[in-house]
Amino acid sequence: LLWDVRDEPIAQVALERDCMVQYADRIRKFTPRELLRLMGFPEEFEFPDDVGLQQRYKLIGNAVNVFVVARLMDELFYGDF
């Protein structure tokens, strides 16, 4: 692992309830777009212009991943327990 490479994150950490990526010399938050991708939202999804940055983070944090819910529902209704 090269610690002086700045393009690759060295760890993902949760600090003060914010999702962040830690690089060799700094920490940055995930962007709302990155979080939407992790949650499985389509690329064309956009927030209305009047929704602020902090509200976007809150809304994304309250969302559920559709793919995870679909898998759980499949297991619940069709899976062998």
Side-chain angles (χ1 to χ4, degrees):
L1 181 63
L2 299 173
W3 293 100
D4 60 345
V5 176
R6 296 175 191 246
D7 294 330
E8 306 252 342
I10 59 172
Q12 176 183 338
V13 294
L15 298 174
E16 299 176 19
R17 297 177 34 158
D18 290 330
C19 289
M20 299 184 179
V21 176
Q22 180 177 355
Y23 289 84
D25 62 346
R26 65 190 189 286
I27 295 176
R28 74 165 181 89
K29 288 184 179 182
F30 284 112
T31 65
R33 176 60 53 198
E34 290 170 328
L35 293 172
L36 289 171
R37 287 180 183 137
L38 289 171
M39 294 294 288
F41 282 77
E43 283 295 317
E44 58 272 3
F45 177 85
E46 292 189 18
F47 287 102
D49 291 335
D50 62 338
V51 177
L53 185 61
Q54 291 302 316
Q55 187 65 27
R56 291 176 189 207
Y57 279 110
K58 289 178 184 178
L59 290 168
I60 295 167
N62 288 331
V64 293
N65 187 307
V66 175
F67 300 110
V68 172
V69 172
R71 176 62 191 224
L72 290 172
M73 297 300 284
D74 281 343
E75 286 296 320
L76 181 65
F77 290 111
Y78 307 113
D80 277 330
F81 290 105

